[in-house]
Amino acid sequence: MNLVSGYKGVVGFVFGNENSPNADSYVERLLDRISNSKLEDDRRNAITELQAVVSESQASQLSIGAMGFPIMLSILKKERDDVEMVRGALETLVSALTPINHGKVSSNEVHPALMNADLLSREAESIPLLLSLLEEDDFYVRYYTLQLLTALVTNSPQRLQEAILTIPRGITRLMDMLMDREVIRNEAILLLTHLTREAGEIQKIIVFEGAFEKIFSVIKEEGNSDGGVVVQDCLELLNNLLRNDASNQVLLRETIGLDPLISILKLRGSAYSFTQQKTFNLLSTLETIKLLIRGGPETNSGKDYKETNKTTLVQKKVLDHLLILGVESQWAPVAVRCVAMQCIGDLIAGDSKHLDLLASKFLGEEPQVEPALNSILRIILRTSSMQEFIAADYVFKSFCEKNVDGQSMLASTLIPQPYSMNHAPIEEDVSMSFGSMLLHGLTLGESDGDLEICCRAASVLSHILKDNLPCKEKVLRIEIEVPMQTLGAPEPLMHRMVKYLAVASSMKQKDRNSTTSGNSYVQVIILKLLVTWLEGCPSAVHCFLDARPHLTYLLELASNLSETSCVRGFAALVLGECVIYNKSNDSGKCAFAIVDAISQKVGLSSYFLKFDEMQKSFAFARVDSLQMSKSFSRLSAASMADIEDVVDANEFEKNDLDHPILSSILDSYFVNLVKRLEADIREQIVEVYSQPKIKVAVVPAELVQRSGESDGDYINRLKEFVENQSSEIQDLLVRNSTLAEDLAKTGGGNNFQSEPSDRLQMERLRRDLQEASQRLEALKTEKAKIDSDATLYRNLATKTEADLRSLSDAYNSLEQANFQLENEVKALKRGVGGSSIFPDVEAIKAEAREEAQKESEGELNDLLVCLGQEQSKVERLSARLLELGEDVDKLLEGVGDDIGIGGFDDGEDDEDDE
């Protein structure tokens, strides 16, 4: 009783105090009819009404959860023969566990469906009882039972998973439903899909029950990728069974094979049409391919089975199907093309045979046949979808990873074209080689000011140059023609890229408010190319420093507080590479000159801070989190299928203007490279400060022999001079080394700061202080709002507690009154001997009248005796008075007048008595 009372109190608090009692009383009356009515039709009508009201009212859902579950379970357990009642009970339970969405539901509001699912799953006999109903002959009983189990596993997955594992043949009964009628089968697939999420033991049992054969049988029956949502549910179930489970992947490969999976990817018909559901089906299939390629957790034999999966897929010509979906079929949805190219990248990564296979593939029809890599590069340069660019760029990243021969092959095609060819329309690039097309993209944006194509081509070039010194030196020799010979000689490709970097900076300055412009990430990608190019390549450093404005521009870029932390950090990396890979002896280009310029223009402490700011930026912080791919399901289907061509502006952090695409471009390899370069830069700066700046070129006067000075004195003076100079040099070297080590360890100091660097430091500190003040004010405002909300909720909680207490007191009072009434009823029952519940009022009245008459007769007799005694006394007194000669009548006159009325009444009483 207390639980029900408290539950009703919650109902009243959430849904209002007026409607809830009505809903409670109505549900209670219906439940009473179901439990106590003697008419079967009345019970069935009551359960039909109950199902209707529960499906429409959240208050009724809460009420049935508090009062009705035991009654419903009792029907399922004891009235199996009454099919209509069992159907009604199951349908009512399904309605109680199905959320009712009346507009937006707040996060702190009670969810009746979740509460009911939790209550029902806690019932000890509920799950075994429901599983036993799957063996009933009635179609609707089995159907509603599966729906109810699906609702339970959706809201309380862990409890249901644990319960089913403890029930004998529990999984087997569910698997048997896959062989039932189509509607039952589809509902069973959906239930198993929810049940196998993150449940390894259930996954293994289902696999050994023949899940793979049944899944692909249903997919084939439904029409493969052209089928409906049932195909998507089957593929999602298949992905649950394969995800992070090496044994299941091996079992699939060695039992039924991968041919049924590959057949889903085959596009049928001449006019390929992609409905939304077909898109979902293909995305689910590509998710399966991706799971097989990437495998599960690393084990002793983990790498072997992953390679076997890849080899088997390649033997089944999956690469051809992926190229058709991702590259050749430009009519396919963007989401399908992107995931297909991601699968291509995963398939070829780290396998020389697969890399060579991709390099040998040709796409198109005669005469428009071209290598597959050329087609993928064209997608990078032409596509308007940012996601498609990222996916295609991932293919080149995987192709060039630890593939020296592939990089050299691509670099060998980088042959400069005449200026007219470089600036021809991009549609005319069908006959171009890979290198010519790439150079075309690198120089295309010069005329129209659109550097996005140049930026994408630079990303591909960075993959070709990564960890490949011969390719870096080869590309250094590439020179780009200028528009007119009168404007100068051809310039190296590296100088042209630095020029575009400066153009991107100026364009960004003109439109500072446009955060979604392509130029917001052009700088970082070009800087990434320079970092990759200069790494381990002294010739590239020498080429970069050949133009003095390059160093000046990089110093300004690194110290420009209006740039993002990534831009400043990457510029600092390029400057650091000019120190650690510098082999020049020229006074203006040597490592000491670069360090001195950094100290003068930026300040060493501020310079080292650039690395910390960069690694704390939005782009770097998300690299690790984005390595984990999200699983594809019904919930994520809509968002996956509708990939937007423009990145959502909401993805920008308020305190960081780095473009979201950078978190996809900056992979873990590059992040580790940045960390390694930072340590080398700090160490090299210490080394530079420990060496003399330049060799002594001017002969001091002390070294010249004085006139008249003997040779012996001259030699002794020279020795003394050399000793003093050597001692001073050693002291300076030790001092410089100590100061540089302290600076590198602590991140800065004031020993190497000049006045400009001090001003920059003060400006940075002032900016940091201003930002901290703004954050503090925002935190204060937020704290005040939180305190206000907390006070409001405390008051609301106090009021609710008082309401509940008053309801409890009222209920206790009613119970006491009820107890007293029950005691009185029991006493009355005992008084009448238990012959009748209600006493005979007329008999009691007659008995009372008879007793009253008896009492009045006794009193009258007593009164008559008294009157007789008084009469005898009067007679004796009258006789005595006569003897004495007194007139008795005269004496008695007036006696009794004052009580005449009373005497009259007494007379009437006497008459009545008579």
Side-chain angles (χ1 to χ4, degrees):
M1 294 293 291
N2 293 334
L3 176 63
V4 174
S5 176
Y7 211 88
K8 290 180 179 180
V10 174
V11 175
F13 170 66
V14 176
F15 298 104
N17 294 325
E18 296 180 0
N19 297 327
S20 297
N22 295 333
D24 290 348
S25 61
Y26 184 52
V27 171
E28 190 171 0
R29 287 197 303 271
L30 292 174
L31 290 172
D32 182 67
R33 287 170 56 190
I34 295 171
S35 301
N36 301 320
S37 178
K38 303 301 182 183
L39 300 176
E40 293 299 327
D41 290 340
D42 185 53
R43 295 183 67 216
R44 291 166 185 165
N45 292 336
I47 203 168
T48 302
E49 294 179 28
L50 181 62
Q51 187 276 328
V53 72
V54 168
S55 65
E56 297 176 356
S57 169
Q58 291 182 331
S60 299
Q61 283 186 331
L62 280 174
S63 299
I64 187 112
M67 300 179 288
F69 281 174
I71 298 174
M72 297 295 108
L73 293 177
S74 176
I75 294 173
L76 299 179
K77 184 177 182 181
K78 299 178 181 179
E79 302 183 31
R80 291 286 185 93
D81 295 336
D82 193 340
V83 177
E84 292 190 22
M85 288 297 294
V86 172
R87 286 183 189 174
L90 287 171
E91 196 170 1
T92 302
L93 290 174
V94 171
S95 299
L97 271 61
T98 303
I100 301 174
N101 296 323
H102 295 307
K104 188 176 181 180
V105 181
S106 61
S107 57
N108 58 349
E109 186 175 334
V110 175
H111 299 273
L114 293 177
M115 294 179 64
N116 289 340
D118 184 70
L119 285 174
L120 186 58
S121 62
R122 290 179 185 273
E123 292 286 342
E125 299 181 354
S126 60
I127 308 302
L129 181 60
L130 292 175
L131 287 177
S132 67
L133 289 172
L134 294 177
E135 299 177 352
E136 294 292 323
D137 295 333
D138 186 73
F139 168 81
Y140 288 101
V141 170
R142 300 196 306 278
Y143 177 69
Y144 291 139
T145 301
L146 287 173
Q147 281 194 326
L148 185 56
L149 288 171
T150 303
L152 282 174
V153 76
T154 302
N155 296 322
S156 300
Q158 186 174 1
R159 189 173 293 123
L160 188 65
Q161 290 167 351
E162 294 173 355
I164 289 181
L165 284 174
T166 60
I167 299 172
R169 296 188 70 253
I171 301 295
T172 304
R173 292 177 187 174
L174 295 178
M175 292 298 295
D176 291 341
M177 296 295 102
L178 295 180
M179 309 305 294
D180 208 319
R181 295 165 61 178
E182 183 176 347
V183 177
I184 299 288
R185 180 202 68 188
N186 297 345
E187 198 66 33
I189 292 172
L190 191 59
L191 171 60
L192 290 172
T193 301
H194 290 287
L195 198 61
T196 52
R197 289 175 183 166
E198 300 180 0
E201 294 184 14
I202 294 179
Q203 292 172 6
K204 293 184 182 299
I205 296 173
I206 290 177
V207 168
F208 282 107
E209 290 283 346
F212 291 144
E213 293 84 353
K214 295 176 181 178
I215 287 173
F216 282 110
S217 174
V218 174
I219 292 175
K220 184 177 180 181
E221 181 182 342
E222 292 291 323
N224 287 322
S225 62
D226 294 319
V229 71
V230 178
V231 174
Q232 181 184 349
D233 292 336
C234 287
L235 289 168
E236 186 176 350
L237 174 58
L238 176 64
N239 294 338
N240 289 346
L241 299 177
L242 298 179
R243 186 175 290 109
N244 299 327
D245 197 314
S247 61
N248 286 351
Q249 293 185 14
V250 173
L251 193 62
L252 171 65
R253 190 183 69 234
E254 295 181 353
T255 53
I256 66 173
L258 302 182
D259 289 319
L261 180 64
I262 304 299
S263 64
I264 304 176
L265 294 177
K266 293 180 180 179
L267 300 180
R268 296 168 177 81
S270 57
Y272 301 127
S273 61
F274 288 85
T275 63
Q276 187 182 54
Q277 188 56 58
K278 183 172 183 176
T279 300
F280 295 160
N281 295 340
L282 288 173
L283 289 173
S284 299
T285 308
L286 292 171
E287 173 79 6
T288 309
I289 300 292
K290 191 184 300 183
L291 290 173
L292 291 173
I293 293 173
R294 296 183 178 179
E298 292 293 340
T299 58
N300 294 333
S301 59
K303 188 174 181 180
D304 294 337
Y305 90 86
K306 290 180 185 178
E307 295 301 324
T308 306
N309 287 348
K310 285 186 177 182
T311 302
T312 305
L313 287 170
V314 171
Q315 290 173 352
K316 301 297 181 181
K317 300 187 182 302
V318 72
L319 183 58
D320 295 336
H321 298 294
L322 293 176
L323 286 171
I324 292 174
L325 277 176
V327 182
E328 192 172 9
S329 301
Q330 289 304 302
W331 55 84
V334 175
V336 174
R337 298 203 303 268
C338 291
V339 180
M341 284 190 284
Q342 290 173 5
C343 290
I344 293 173
D346 291 336
L347 186 65
I348 64 175
D351 193 301
S352 58
K353 294 182 180 179
H354 301 167
L355 292 170
D356 294 340
L357 181 63
L358 176 62
S360 64
K361 289 291 181 182
F362 284 80
L363 300 179
E365 298 178 357
E366 294 292 347
Q368 302 294 329
V369 177
E370 67 175 350
L373 291 176
N374 290 26
S375 299
I376 298 173
L377 178 60
R378 183 178 292 106
I379 291 175
I380 290 178
L381 300 179
R382 284 182 174 182
T383 183
S384 59
S385 169
M386 193 63 64
Q387 298 295 332
E388 191 172 12
F389 156 59
I390 294 173
D393 184 79
Y394 178 70
V395 175
F396 278 105
K397 173 184 175 298
S398 301
F399 181 81
C400 296
E401 190 79 31
K402 299 179 182 179
N403 184 17
V404 177
D405 293 338
Q407 290 174 305
S408 301
M409 182 268 293
L410 295 179
S412 64
T413 63
L414 292 170
I415 301 174
Q417 300 291 328
Y419 179 81
S420 58
M421 288 290 296
N422 283 339
H423 292 77
I426 197 168
E427 286 76 10
E428 298 180 8
D429 62 358
V430 177
S431 59
M432 285 186 179
S433 66
F434 177 89
S436 299
M437 194 189 309
L438 183 61
L439 290 175
H440 187 194
L442 287 169
T443 58
L444 186 63
E446 181 182 4
S447 58
D448 56 6
D450 182 11
L451 297 177
E452 186 170 354
I453 295 178
C454 169
C455 154
R456 295 179 180 184
S459 181
V460 176
L461 182 60
S462 67
H463 299 316
I464 297 174
L465 302 181
K466 183 170 63 176
D467 296 334
N468 194 320
L469 184 59
C471 287
K472 293 178 181 180
E473 293 180 345
K474 176 178 177 57
V475 177
L476 278 177
R477 296 191 291 270
I478 296 177
E479 294 185 345
I480 306 299
E481 290 186 2
V482 294
M484 298 177 61
Q485 295 182 355
T486 56
L487 297 178
E491 58 182 342
L493 178 61
M494 175 178 284
H495 292 193
R496 180 66 63 91
M497 300 312 299
V498 179
K499 173 185 175 182
Y500 289 159
L501 178 63
V503 172
S505 300
S506 63
M507 293 173 64
K508 190 174 178 181
Q509 291 291 340
K510 293 179 181 178
D511 192 9
R512 178 61 60 183
N513 295 329
S514 177
T515 57
T516 58
S517 171
N519 296 319
S520 61
Y521 64 90
V522 167
Q523 290 174 285
V524 177
I525 293 183
I526 295 179
L527 283 168
K528 180 193 173 188
L529 169 63
L530 293 178
V531 170
T532 304
W533 205 340
L534 298 181
E535 190 261 331
C537 185
S539 301
V541 173
H542 185 271
C543 179
F544 178 81
L545 295 176
D546 272 346
R548 182 66 184 176
H550 291 176
L551 180 62
T552 304
Y553 170 69
L554 261 296
L555 291 169
E556 293 177 354
L557 195 61
S559 59
N560 189 351
L561 299 179
S562 63
E563 296 290 351
T564 66
S565 56
C566 264
V567 171
R568 297 195 301 269
F570 280 32
L573 277 176
V574 174
L575 291 171
E577 288 178 318
C578 291
V579 175
I580 59 179
Y581 301 118
N582 193 320
K583 305 299 182 183
S584 175
N585 294 323
D586 295 345
S587 59
K589 300 179 182 180
C590 65
F592 195 98
I594 305 300
V595 174
D596 189 56
I598 294 173
S599 176
Q600 294 294 325
K601 300 294 184 181
V602 182
L604 289 180
S605 61
S606 178
Y607 173 75
F608 288 131
L609 283 175
K610 307 300 179 189
F611 300 117
D612 296 332
E613 294 173 357
M614 173 182 59
Q615 296 190 31
K616 293 177 182 178
S617 66
F618 166 76
F620 274 75
R622 293 189 62 192
V623 168
D624 293 334
S625 63
L626 290 175
Q627 300 302 317
M628 299 298 294
S629 60
K630 297 181 179 179
S631 60
F632 183 78
S633 63
R634 271 197 187 188
L635 296 177
S636 60
S639 59
M640 283 289 294
D642 298 329
I643 292 181
E644 296 292 339
D645 292 342
V646 180
V647 179
D648 188 358
N650 294 330
E651 293 186 23
F652 286 93
E653 295 289 331
K654 294 181 180 179
N655 298 325
D656 198 325
L657 297 180
D658 290 326
H659 198 282
I661 191 179
L662 299 182
S663 58
S664 301
I665 295 296
L666 304 179
D667 53 11
S668 57
Y669 169 84
F670 190 79
V671 172
N672 293 331
L673 174 64
V674 168
K675 294 178 181 179
R676 178 169 59 82
L677 286 176
E678 179 188 355
D680 292 344
I681 290 169
R682 291 178 183 271
E683 182 179 353
Q684 186 64 26
I685 287 179
V686 172
E687 180 70 20
V688 168
Y689 269 112
S690 301
Q691 296 177 356
K693 181 176 180 181
I694 55 174
K695 296 179 180 180
V696 177
V698 180
V699 179
E702 288 81 356
L703 299 182
V704 180
Q705 186 174 7
R706 299 170 183 171
S707 58
E709 186 177 20
S710 65
D711 293 339
D713 294 339
Y714 176 61
I715 292 173
N716 291 332
R717 188 165 57 81
L718 287 177
K719 288 182 178 179
E720 182 179 359
F721 175 77
V722 170
E723 289 176 358
N724 292 335
Q725 288 292 317
S726 177
S727 177
E728 290 179 4
I729 289 173
Q730 290 299 323
D731 291 341
L732 289 174
L733 290 177
V734 170
R735 182 181 177 187
N736 281 346
S737 177
T738 302
L739 291 175
E741 288 178 0
D742 293 341
L743 180 63
K745 291 178 181 178
T746 60
N750 294 325
N751 297 311
F752 295 94
Q753 301 298 315
S754 60
E755 291 184 1
S757 62
D758 289 338
R759 284 197 298 271
L760 290 173
Q761 185 76 355
M762 291 298 295
E763 291 176 1
R764 185 184 62 80
L765 292 175
R766 189 180 299 108
R767 177 175 59 84
D768 292 344
L769 180 60
Q770 184 178 2
E771 292 177 355
S773 301
Q774 293 175 353
R775 286 196 297 269
L776 182 60
E777 292 297 327
L779 289 174
K780 286 182 178 179
T781 305
E782 185 176 359
K783 181 179 180 299
K785 183 177 181 301
I786 292 174
D787 291 340
S788 175
D789 293 342
T791 303
L792 176 62
Y793 289 132
R794 278 197 297 268
N795 294 337
L796 188 59
T798 303
K799 181 179 180 302
T800 305
E801 185 178 0
D803 292 342
L804 291 175
R805 192 179 296 111
S806 63
L807 287 173
S808 179
D809 294 339
Y811 176 78
N812 292 333
S813 300
L814 289 175
E815 285 227 314
Q816 291 176 359
N818 187 30
F819 181 76
Q820 293 176 358
L821 290 174
E822 289 179 351
N823 290 337
E824 291 178 2
V825 170
K826 291 178 181 178
L828 289 174
K829 288 180 179 180
R830 288 194 299 271
V832 297
S835 60
S836 176
I837 297 177
F838 301 101
D840 191 351
V841 179
E842 295 298 332
I844 293 174
K845 287 182 179 180
E847 184 179 357
R849 187 182 298 110
E850 187 177 0
E851 289 178 358
Q853 288 178 357
K854 291 179 181 179
E855 289 177 359
S856 63
E857 287 177 359
E859 290 176 355
L860 286 174
N861 291 334
D862 293 340
L863 183 59
L864 289 174
V865 172
C866 293
L867 287 176
Q869 293 175 356
E870 292 297 328
Q871 184 66 30
S872 61
K873 289 180 181 180
V874 171
E875 289 176 354
R876 285 195 300 269
L877 288 174
S878 298
R880 179 63 178 164
L881 288 174
L882 289 174
E883 290 175 359
L884 294 176
E886 292 292 332
D887 190 355
V888 178
D889 295 330
K890 187 177 181 179
L891 288 173
L892 292 175
E893 287 180 359
V895 178
D897 293 340
D898 53 343
I899 59 173
I901 298 173
F904 183 76
D905 291 340
D906 291 340
E908 290 183 348
D909 291 338
D910 293 341
E911 293 177 358
D912 292 337
D913 292 339
E914 293 176 355

